[in-house]
Amino acid sequence: MVKLPWHRPMTSSSPLSLILRLPLFSLRPRAYTSASASGNKAYMALTQELSDAMATCVASCSISHGRMLHARLISAGLDASLFLQNHLLNTYIHCGSLDDALRVYGGISSPNVFSGNIMINGFTKFGFLREAVELFDKMPVRDSTSWNTLMVGYFRDVQPSEALRTFILMLRDLNCKPNLFTIAFVMKSCGALRCHRLSLQLHGFVEKLDFGRHPEAGASLIDMYVKCGAVDLASKVFGVLKSPDLFCWNCMLSGYASSYEVGRTIKVFDKMPERDVVSWNTMISLLSHCGQEREALSMIIDMSTQGYEPNSTTYTYVLTACTSILDLGWGKHLHAHIIRSQKSIDVFFGSALVDMYAKCGDLGSAKRTFDGLHDRNSVSWTALIAGYSHSGLMEQAMKLFNEMRSVPMSLDPFTLATVVSACCTNLDLCLGTQIHSISLRTGSCSSVAVSNALVTMYAKCGSIENADSVFQRMPVRDIISWTSMITAYSQIGNVNKAREYFDSMEDKNVVTWNAMLAAYIQHGSEEEGVKMYIIMQRESAVKPDWVTFSTLFCACAEVAAERIGNQIIAHTIKVGLNSDISVANGIITMYSKCGKIAEARKTFDSILEKDLVSWNSIMTAYSQHGQGKETIKVFQRMISNGIKPDYISYVAVLSGCSHSGLVEEGKFYFNSMSRSHNIAPGLEHFACMVDLLSRAGLLEDAKIVIDNMPLKPSVEIWGALLAACKLHGNKELAEYATKHLFELDLKDSGSYVLLAKIYADAGNSDDSARVRKLMKEKGIKKNPGCSWIEVKNTIHVFTADDPSHPQIGVILKKLDELIKEIEAVGYDHKATSASQRHHSEKLAVAFGLISLPEWMPIHIMKNLRICCDCHTVMKLISLLTKRELIVRDANRFHHFKEGSCSCQDYW
């Protein structure tokens, strides 16, 4: 039995236990006559006086006055009056004394339905639902209030389904009819269960009983539909109300806000004839959660100027907005305002302040605010611990965590999850294991949040077995649990195991689908990723989001699947996500890597509010297509628009200069990185400069850049120098570059092959053979050249001298015809080796010419850099066939048209 703080505990000898043991309504009635009334006052007048006094006592909640009235009742000889006894029962219940009420009830000789209803209300009010049900079951006569009171009890006890079951039983009781109060509570229960189907049935029931004309029923319907997620139905009910009250307006406001429909919510807010703090709080919360934090901050100013006093909820929402945009100034201003206007800061707002300061990086203010709190809860402790851990101060975070453990406060699961996540960030497996032990000792491992954090921590620290063990032992798993395991196996490249977990899930959301899509695409299975998207559309009710489309555009970009990309673009338009900036940025990259630089530019120009990723995407596109001057134009336009470039921006610009031979421009932008924007050059920037200088023949300048680098040169840097040595025939510098490549324990075959060719071109066949022998000894094999082309939504892959294609005979015949035609204009086919004659890109071009209409450009992708012979052949084929050929090799795009290439032979 629960001990109630305001009355003595009920024991086995208490009136309640005695009453429940006896058959109810079987006590003998006491003799009663109105002649027992004292004084000259008439019986009715005295009864009225006492009942009025008890009503006043109820209003003041004075238990002492209630007992005085009880004593007067006895002294007046009216303690047997059922009317007054029921009033006294009601008085004691409202004044918080269930024991006194039970004593009165035990003295009633013949309790009626009103007596029973009052006691049921008392039991449910003080949490004794079981006793209320027992009393209800023993009542010989019940009315609508009896049923309503029991329904309220179930609702108070967070059992809305039992409240609805009680309503169904009530309908079977022919002596009772539902009233307006019944309907209101049934709809509240339906709303709590979020049962849309039942809400429609209840609406029909309301109309059948003709309750729909009552404003109270309309308000309940609106509230029910909103909680069931049927905002449009709520809007229809709202539309027929003649004068909806503030509650109805707030319901509609909350409904649109819960659906994150900012525009419609603002329209409702603007039309409201009156508002209260709830209205303003709803708007501020919505704007804060929808990325319009500045508007949320402005709204609290409007709220104050219009005479509405913000409450702690308002301030918490505004602090959340400050935290989201890391606006420390606004947060400090709000803190100062609270100190001036409030006597003290409650623990909820104090915790929000600590969280704001911590996330904005002001740990000093966060700690001072925390130390100044009179009351601290687990939220305030967790906020400060998270602040230290996110700033990399794990020692201070753990010291604070140990302090929290030493004070009389139970460890919150979210605190443990935060500490585990910090271990994950720092890849501290040892500390993470210790926190795991603490969670086991405290029983917190049963918390889904803690277990999910442990799964992620073990996975990121490379202990997939422990991650799987924690997952298997979880008593309850949510979508995050499953998604974490899918991601964990994806990170180690075990896509098949990730797919097993994915298929084992009963409920999947868009995050889960995105995780599986990303798993396929990140590990080179782009086709499987696209298939997953098709399955998602056919078999799932889950709607794709911007992450889905961004991931898919990445897949289409990698395999240059333009047609599929266009279909996905059409779907983004259908679902209204084509204007999302992240989706648009993905489209730019997809078009660019499919060779459609004009379409990429159109997409870029269509973005109304471009972010830095948009600018970087289009600059990278121009760079890959060898349009260095256009890259520089876009960069300058970005600067003039007030967008500050970042590391990636300069990689795009320098790469564009490198691919176009813009030496002076490249030097200028390389020097301006640190001078103008305080960006330290990284390996990618140095690689671009070495490639730019060495390709221009400035090999010694490139070597000076390498020698003066503050970073250790990477494989890409030495590889760029080696490739230029091959181009310019510098054997000595090539050996120097190769020596450093070998020191890096290079496993890639490209550099070995380049050096062997350099020796061969210089007539040193012995050295060339030595390099190839070294490759064989080290087990390094030359990466096979591979090209692919998309025809009729199918990707066709070719490798040199591969006879597996079903149309290989026709393809070789077409290629031989092309070779004969271009020999007529000066191409020396005999000078090429046997393997070069059937290089994969030549086979792909021949297949494109026989498979695609004459007006369509031929797009070819290649995994390696295009060789000189194939480059020459492509130019001549474009001249003879009048077809545009677009080849994407490992480094860049080549647009062949009318006998020339966009790279101007600078590649």
Side-chain angles (χ1 to χ4, degrees):
M1 188 67 68
V2 179
K3 183 178 179 180
L4 303 177
W6 45 77
H7 65 79
R8 294 182 299 279
M10 294 191 297
T11 64
S12 60
S13 60
S14 67
L16 170 62
S17 60
L18 293 173
I19 291 167
L20 293 177
R21 289 176 191 169
L22 294 172
L24 293 185
F25 311 100
S26 62
L27 299 177
R28 292 183 180 179
R30 294 172 55 189
Y32 175 77
T33 62
S34 61
S36 63
S38 62
N40 298 322
K41 289 191 176 181
Y43 164 70
M44 292 303 296
L46 183 57
T47 300
Q48 186 62 49
E49 178 186 335
L50 288 169
S51 64
D52 290 344
M54 282 187 271
T56 304
C57 185
V58 167
S60 63
C61 290
S62 174
I63 188 64
S64 59
H65 290 166
R67 286 172 179 156
M68 289 171 61
L69 287 170
H70 190 178
R72 186 179 175 190
L73 203 70
I74 295 171
S75 64
L78 296 177
D79 55 320
S81 167
L82 184 57
F83 173 76
L84 291 174
Q85 284 174 321
N86 285 343
H87 269 283
L88 191 59
L89 277 177
N90 189 56
T91 301
Y92 279 135
I93 293 297
H94 278 85
C95 292
S97 180
L98 184 59
D99 269 356
D100 285 322
L102 285 168
R103 291 189 185 94
V104 174
Y105 187 76
I108 300 176
S109 58
S110 299
N112 60 10
V113 68
F114 300 105
S115 316
N117 291 345
I118 294 169
M119 286 309 301
I120 292 171
N121 178 53
F123 284 137
T124 60
K125 180 179 179 180
F126 296 115
F128 295 100
L129 183 60
R130 181 173 59 83
E131 286 79 1
V133 174
E134 288 182 21
L135 179 56
F136 178 85
D137 290 340
K138 291 181 179 180
M139 290 175 66
V141 179
R142 306 181 188 115
D143 60 7
S144 298
T145 304
S146 313
W147 290 97
N148 290 345
T149 307
L150 189 60
M151 276 193 287
V152 172
Y154 278 123
F155 191 84
R156 282 176 179 165
D157 201 50
V158 198
Q159 297 187 50
S161 58
E162 285 299 313
L164 290 172
R165 190 180 68 85
T166 303
F167 170 67
I168 294 170
L169 293 174
M170 177 184 181
L171 295 179
R172 296 173 183 172
D173 187 343
L174 301 179
N175 296 320
C176 300
K177 289 185 178 180
N179 53 27
L180 200 56
F181 183 87
T182 313
I183 297 301
F185 243 90
V186 168
M187 288 193 281
K188 271 191 176 184
S189 301
C190 179
L193 290 171
R194 303 181 184 279
C195 185
H196 181 263
R197 183 178 177 183
L198 180 60
S199 68
L200 296 173
Q201 295 175 348
L202 287 175
H203 192 174
F205 189 75
V206 167
E207 295 298 333
K208 181 179 179 181
L209 295 182
D210 199 27
F211 285 129
R213 54 192 175 85
H214 293 277
E216 296 87 349
S220 296
L221 279 169
I222 293 170
D223 181 54
M224 175 184 66
Y225 277 136
V226 165
K227 288 176 179 174
C228 290
V231 184
D232 289 338
L233 292 175
S235 180
K236 289 181 180 179
V237 176
F238 182 83
V240 299
L241 293 180
K242 293 182 179 179
S243 300
D245 59 12
L246 181 59
F247 174 81
C248 296
W249 282 99
N250 279 339
C251 280
M252 290 307 305
L253 201 67
S254 174
Y256 288 126
S258 63
S259 303
Y260 298 104
E261 298 186 50
V262 179
R264 297 179 76 174
T265 310
I266 291 174
K267 285 182 180 179
V268 171
F269 183 78
D270 290 340
K271 290 179 180 179
M272 292 180 72
E274 60 174 325
R275 299 168 184 153
D276 60 4
V277 177
V278 174
S279 317
W280 288 95
N281 286 351
T282 301
M283 284 305 305
I284 293 170
S285 174
L286 172 65
L287 295 172
S288 176
H289 281 90
C290 290
Q292 300 186 32
E293 292 85 359
R294 297 290 177 191
E295 290 80 356
L297 296 177
S298 299
M299 186 154 279
I300 192 175
I301 298 175
D302 297 338
M303 177 182 179
S304 299
T305 56
Q306 293 186 29
Y308 295 91
E309 184 64 32
N311 57 19
S312 59
T313 303
T314 317
Y315 291 128
T316 303
Y317 287 152
V318 175
L319 269 182
T320 302
C322 296
T323 305
S324 298
I325 58 175
L326 303 179
D327 194 328
L328 186 60
W330 240 102
K332 286 184 174 180
H333 172 77
L334 197 63
H335 190 179
H337 176 75
I338 292 294
I339 292 173
R340 288 195 304 269
S341 60
Q342 304 290 331
K343 293 181 180 179
S344 62
I345 296 176
D346 64 39
V347 66
F348 301 105
F349 183 69
S351 300
L353 273 172
V354 173
D355 185 55
M356 185 274 297
Y357 280 124
K359 286 182 177 175
C360 290
D362 190 349
L363 293 176
S365 295
K367 185 67 166 64
R368 284 191 296 273
T369 304
F370 177 82
D371 291 339
L373 293 176
H374 296 296
D375 296 313
R376 298 170 188 162
N377 60 9
S378 59
V379 178
S380 45
W381 282 96
T382 304
L384 192 58
I385 292 170
Y388 280 118
S389 63
H390 290 158
S391 299
L393 304 173
M394 276 303 296
E395 186 176 345
Q396 291 91 325
M398 290 310 300
K399 181 180 178 182
L400 196 66
F401 175 66
N402 289 328
E403 287 180 19
M404 179 183 178
R405 293 175 62 196
S406 65
V407 300
M409 180 174 292
S410 60
L411 281 177
D412 186 277
F414 292 102
T415 310
L416 283 170
T418 299
V419 178
V420 172
S421 298
C423 300
C424 175
T425 303
N426 292 274
L427 300 179
D428 193 336
L429 181 60
C430 180
L431 183 58
T433 305
Q434 293 177 41
I435 303 300
H436 188 180
S437 299
I438 293 173
S439 67
L440 287 170
R441 287 199 303 270
T442 58
S444 298
C445 260
S446 59
S447 164
V448 176
V450 174
S451 294
N452 287 346
L454 286 168
V455 167
T456 304
M457 183 272 296
Y458 279 126
K460 288 197 173 181
C461 290
S463 183
I464 191 68
E465 296 83 4
N466 283 329
D468 206 329
S469 175
V470 172
F471 177 82
Q472 296 299 340
R473 293 176 181 176
M474 290 178 69
V476 179
R477 303 176 187 130
D478 61 7
I479 287 181
I480 297 174
S481 316
W482 289 94
T483 306
S484 298
M485 287 308 302
I486 292 169
T487 306
Y489 278 109
S490 172
Q491 287 171 349
I492 63 171
N494 194 341
V495 182
N496 291 334
K497 191 69 175 178
R499 181 61 185 268
E500 283 182 25
Y501 275 92
F502 179 84
D503 291 338
S504 299
M505 294 180 64
E506 293 183 3
D507 297 316
K508 305 177 181 76
N509 65 5
V510 67
V511 177
T512 319
W513 282 95
N514 289 344
M516 198 62 236
L517 283 170
Y520 278 121
I521 292 164
Q522 288 169 2
H523 294 284
S525 301
E526 288 83 5
E527 285 192 51
E528 288 299 321
V530 174
K531 288 178 182 177
M532 281 294 297
Y533 166 68
I534 295 170
I535 295 171
M536 179 182 179
Q537 296 305 301
R538 289 177 180 172
E539 302 179 7
S540 171
V542 175
K543 293 182 179 179
D545 62 2
W546 67 270
V547 177
T548 313
F549 290 118
S550 297
T551 306
L552 287 167
F553 286 131
C554 178
C556 294
E558 288 303 313
V559 297
E562 182 196 343
R563 289 191 180 184
I564 296 175
N566 285 329
Q567 293 172 14
I568 296 171
I569 290 172
H571 192 196
T572 66
I573 296 171
K574 182 179 179 181
V575 299
L577 283 172
N578 58 308
S579 59
D580 182 275
I581 192 165
S582 297
V583 173
N585 292 339
I587 294 173
I588 293 172
T589 302
M590 187 273 293
Y591 273 136
S592 167
K593 290 196 173 183
C594 289
K596 298 282 188 177
I597 188 66
E599 285 77 1
R601 181 56 188 258
K602 285 179 183 177
T603 304
F604 172 79
D605 291 337
S606 70
I607 301 175
L608 298 178
E609 295 185 9
K610 304 172 179 66
D611 62 5
L612 182 58
V613 177
S614 311
W615 293 96
N616 287 347
S617 297
I618 193 64
M619 285 192 292
T620 301
Y622 279 124
S623 170
Q624 290 173 338
H625 286 264
Q627 300 186 32
K629 291 184 178 179
E630 197 64 39
T631 306
I632 292 172
K633 284 182 183 179
V634 174
F635 182 82
Q636 293 295 345
R637 182 182 160 196
M638 180 182 78
I639 298 295
S640 64
N641 284 357
I643 306 295
K644 185 179 179 180
D646 66 353
Y647 188 98
I648 303 298
S649 308
Y650 275 102
V651 171
V653 171
L654 294 176
S655 178
C657 294
S658 172
H659 287 159
S660 303
L662 304 174
V663 177
E664 295 304 318
E665 292 87 344
K667 289 179 178 179
F668 171 79
Y669 286 110
F670 183 79
N671 292 327
S672 72
M673 283 180 62
S674 54
R675 184 179 64 245
S676 301
H677 295 104
N678 197 30
I679 299 174
L683 288 173
E684 291 88 348
H685 305 112
F686 283 109
C688 289
M689 286 306 297
V690 170
D691 188 60
L692 172 63
L693 294 170
S694 57
R695 283 185 180 281
L698 304 172
L699 295 174
E700 289 301 323
D701 289 353
K703 183 177 179 299
I704 292 171
V705 169
I706 295 174
D707 292 339
N708 293 325
M709 280 177 60
L711 306 168
K712 183 179 180 180
S714 64
V715 170
E716 289 75 20
I717 291 173
W718 291 116
L721 182 62
L722 180 61
C725 291
K726 164 71 170 62
L727 179 66
H728 296 287
N730 191 324
K731 184 180 69 172
E732 292 76 15
L733 197 55
E735 290 176 339
Y736 174 78
T738 305
K739 175 186 174 184
H740 286 88
L741 279 168
F742 288 170
E743 288 176 356
L744 295 173
D745 193 25
L746 184 66
K747 300 297 182 184
D748 180 61
S749 64
S751 298
Y752 288 92
V753 173
L754 270 175
L755 184 61
K757 287 183 177 179
I758 290 171
Y759 283 132
D761 292 344
N764 297 339
S765 56
D766 291 342
D767 288 336
S768 177
R770 179 175 56 83
V771 173
R772 295 189 182 277
K773 181 181 178 182
L774 182 62
M775 286 179 63
K776 188 175 182 180
E777 290 173 353
K778 289 190 174 185
I780 298 173
K781 296 182 179 180
K782 180 182 176 182
N783 295 329
C786 171
S787 299
W788 61 95
I789 180 173
E790 181 185 1
V791 175
K792 296 180 180 178
N793 290 330
T794 302
I795 304 295
H796 296 261
V797 182
F798 297 90
T799 55
D801 297 312
D802 180 12
S804 62
H805 195 279
Q807 293 178 263
I808 189 64
V810 180
I811 294 169
L812 290 174
K813 182 179 179 182
K814 180 65 176 179
L815 182 57
D816 290 339
E817 291 174 359
L818 289 170
I819 296 299
K820 289 180 182 178
E821 289 183 31
I822 62 176
E823 279 181 332
V825 293
Y827 172 66
D828 186 4
H829 182 249
K830 296 178 181 179
T832 61
S833 65
S835 62
Q836 281 181 315
R837 292 169 192 165
H838 291 161
H839 267 185
S840 60
E841 54 266 56
K842 292 176 182 175
L843 296 173
V845 166
F847 178 68
L849 288 169
I850 64 177
S851 304
L852 298 173
E854 294 182 0
W855 56 267
M856 182 180 290
I858 298 174
H859 292 260
I860 298 167
M861 276 57 64
K862 183 174 173 62
N863 65 329
L864 303 176
R865 183 177 291 186
I866 189 171
C867 71
C868 292
D869 178 65
C870 288
H871 195 268
T872 301
V873 169
M874 294 294 174
K875 288 196 294 184
L876 294 172
I877 290 176
S878 71
L879 177 66
L880 291 174
T881 62
K882 305 300 180 183
R883 298 287 291 271
E884 182 181 359
L885 311 178
I886 301 170
V887 178
R888 188 185 93 190
D889 69 7
N891 287 0
R892 60 176 297 163
F893 275 90
H894 299 266
H895 292 256
F896 300 97
K897 194 173 184 179
E898 297 179 355
S900 63
C901 180
S902 60
C903 73
Q904 299 176 359
D905 296 337
Y906 189 86
W907 94 102

